[in-house]
Amino acid sequence: AQTVTQSQPEMSVQEAETVTLSCTYDTSESNYYLFWYKQPPSRQMILVIRQEAYKQQNATENRFSVNFQKAAKSFSLKISDSQLGDTAMYFCAFMKYATGNQFYFGTGTSLTVIP
Amino acid sequence: NAGVTQTPKFQVLKTGQSMTLQCAQDMNHEYMSWYRQDPGMGLRLIHYSVGAGITDQGEVPNGYNVSRSTTEDFPLRLLSAAPSQTSVYFCASSPSGGPTDTQYFGPGTRLTVL
């Protein structure tokens, strides 16, 4: 079974500063994908970034980047130049490579960007 | 494209009542799924479908039924609602369900069972 752990229930950051959200996971799979999803107050789930486990290079998407440590089973999200619109719940998620079909989500981190 | 739509947005039921949560997508996606989100927990998969006529159970299927008669629609049925089914329900779709697909989520249905 796969488990995803987010140990920071709540975080805050000043506007324009950088913040890092933590995620660890447990799996016996060797090939898999990791994701960060954002859920603003509107409840809409929005994909932030995706990482393929067999790729060494950390994924980046504009102000969002990850630090993927496969041996440590760690997958943190760094948000640079935080903006008020980044205020949301952030979920880390895991998906097996071969079959896909099912996400395993963490419990989420509530991020507040302070003006 | 309307994307993934869910109705209703809010619903209150009494214990033992039945109801159907509707989900529709207009992107011709083969894969559709239902998740529930409880306070302090991540989304958990209830049921999913890889195409019309094909459904399978996810992590927490008990108390829910699904069917997929068309590509567009994937309704979730609660046969006899229980307070433990109070949750926010999300429907999602993607072209094939694979990890390289972008999953499109609906806006959610907040269900309260009294």
Side-chain angles (χ1 to χ4, degrees), chain A residues 33 39 43-44 50 91 101 106, chain B residues 31 37 42 97 99 101 105 108:
Chain A
Y33 284 74
Q39 187 180 42
R43 293 206 309 241
Q44 191 76 35
R50 168 174 36 217
F91 292 96
N101 292 334
Chain B
Y31 179 82
Q37 183 178 27
D101 284 353
F105 285 83

Side-chain angles (χ1 to χ4, degrees), chain A residues 9 26 41 48 62 100:
Chain A
D26 189 23
V48 175
N62 301 317

